[in-house]
Amino acid sequence: MLYIVPTKKGLGVEIWGNQDDLNSLYEVIGKFWNDENYLSKDGFESRDQLISGFSYEIRKAMQGNRLTRKSSHYSIEEGDYYGTKIFWVHFLFSLAAIKYN
């Protein structure tokens, strides 16, 4: 189960999930990134770079190079959960870029 919690000081969000959840999210984001149909269509290559940065953070979390926990915030079941911190601005702009593509 993917879930999002705010960071301690409220400057962003933490995206958490097990390895399968993050892998699924990474694959979905990959469908909207680096596609020839979306590049240079309106002169905004930065949108592709924004999605790339978001995808990079998800991939690094999936590999265990960011945040880790032994259980989720919402259940007591044991299991490895991986997460990453993303600023609100990056998160919202990434979602808008994915939606546009």
Side-chain angles (χ1 to χ4, degrees):
M1 174 180 79
L2 281 173
Y3 62 94
I4 299 172
V5 294
T7 58
K8 288 186 180 189
K9 296 192 179 189
L11 295 175
V13 294
E14 295 177 359
I15 299 175
W16 289 92
N18 63 24
Q19 198 164 19
D20 293 333
D21 296 333
L22 292 174
N23 188 34
S24 297
L25 178 62
Y26 182 74
E27 288 177 5
V28 168
I29 293 170
K31 294 179 191 268
F32 297 101
W33 169 58
N34 207 13
D35 188 352
E36 293 297 323
N37 296 328
Y38 306 125
L39 293 175
S40 302
K41 191 159 131 183
D42 53 5
F44 287 107
E45 288 86 14
S46 61
R47 189 173 58 242
D48 192 49
Q49 292 173 350
L50 188 67
I51 296 172
S52 170
F54 185 66
S55 177
Y56 174 80
E57 289 298 321
I58 299 299
R59 180 172 49 93
K60 287 297 183 177
M62 182 177 56
Q63 293 171 346
N65 295 337
R66 297 293 187 255
L67 308 171
T68 58
R69 292 177 61 101
K70 287 295 180 189
S71 65
S72 83
H73 289 81
Y74 302 111
S75 75
I76 56 174
E77 295 179 13
E78 288 288 321
D80 292 330
Y81 281 83
Y82 305 100
T84 186
K85 291 182 182 181
I86 299 176
F87 287 110
W88 280 110
V89 174
H90 188 200
F91 182 66
L92 294 175
F93 275 76
S94 296
L95 290 180
I98 291 169
K99 181 182 176 191
Y100 184 85
N101 284 0

